[in-house]
Amino acid sequence: MKRVLAFDFGASSGRAILAEYDGERLTCREVHRFENCPREQNGHFRWDFADLMKNVHQGIEKAGAFDSVGFDTWGVDFGLLDETGALLEDPVHYRDGRTEGMVEQALARLNADTLYAATGSQIMPINTLFQLLAMRQSAPDTWNRAKRLLFMPDLFAHALCGADVCEMSIASTSQMLDPRTGGWSREVLDAFGIPESLFAPLVNSGTVVGEYRGAKVIAVAGHDTQCAVAALPSADPNAAFLSCGTWSLLGCELDSPVLTRESRLAALSNERGAGGKVNYLKNIIGLWLIQESRRQWRREGQEYSYARLEQLALAAEPLRSFIDPDDPSFTPPGDIPGRVRAFCQRTGQPVPETVGQVMRCIYESLALKYRFALEQLSRLTGRRFSALHVLGGGAKDGLLCRMTADCTGVPVVAGPVEATALGNILIQLMALGEVQTIREGRVLIARAEPLKRFEPDGRDRWQSACARFTHLIQ
């Protein structure tokens, strides 16, 4: 019997999942769940790293004995260490406004086609490269004192056992990794004066990087999306995935990156997967729109459960007005319902007034954006997708899964809900020699996890809406 502990950190909460594997059967249970509460500090929106580490230790104590532990988190964010290995300051949140204008400044030095061809990453202000350039400009003292950069999952491993590594999948979210070689892009580092010595040695997913109380500390796929994709419960090469949580990441697995100008203009990313594959995907704002809308209504004194919001959306008039989920106005925290109304007014559409109308607009806009992204992927890869696997929290949202199937015309398979933690666990079991391949692990997960299938129905009803939506976002 092997017991492994997976820490899965999301942007608003974290969980510790303890798994037991007897060579045939995998069982999992949540031993600790906690809030992830970023806050304003020293002029920036930051993660509370000390509080997160306190919860790591609480999760470890609740888990009891285990053979290994691994961490996965959101992408792009990092901590900076001084020459003694101490954290200089709490990591800055990717939603902080410090990167405003940095993309434009960077592209004046290295044009977009060149930057994309060198890294394969969708050019987004939140990416690590632009965070570093902003920090060097606004906080030169911190930049000068920094001797090591560790991405968030590697920072947790460092705090636990002193590990000094940079796991490949999380590095591929930085806009600085060459997706062809798996090494840092000298072209990008040289263009922006970033020393390669700032980064820890690169390691593959599944590398044992240290020990804690006799348990192995394993660098799993540090980027939570790549953990989720590792748990994709299908061996079909024509299956697409939608890792759906606060962010939605819709993509497919490839053997090599796509680095063309057309790919850049489509805002697609090439990220390193746990099994050595390239996960070719599009970043889309996801359940954040629903989560933050619910928080806004709560701030206004109105409390709605997610089930009630879904009911109100179902009761509202369909296909009335849409937003582009990735419009920059929806990125910061705050009054998302008000911004939805402002977007619709600005674009000459009927303005959603009621809670149900706002929710219907968000749900339908997400489904339409998924269709748009799926068609881009199909065009650029030449693949016709047989199914779309919804992984993570979005698998619980029956309305979103139903709308996505109907809108795209592709069967949607929902589950597993805890795909990220399961991928984390699978990679640990591979590192321990208990599971031999990603494919073998996927078969194990498909056998153990309940899945729900949504067959497409009424795609024709979405045709005119799709044309309106495409015109809107272009």
Side-chain angles (χ1 to χ4, degrees), residues 18 43 94 105 162 322:
L18 183 66
Y94 60 84
Q105 288 187 38
F322 315 118

Side-chain angles (χ1 to χ4, degrees), residues 368-383:
L368 286 160
K369 194 63 180 277
Y370 297 156
R371 170 173 166 158
F372 182 79
L374 205 60
E375 289 175 348
Q376 287 181 317
L377 284 168
S378 184
R379 185 176 67 251
L380 287 164
T381 63
R383 292 189 180 184

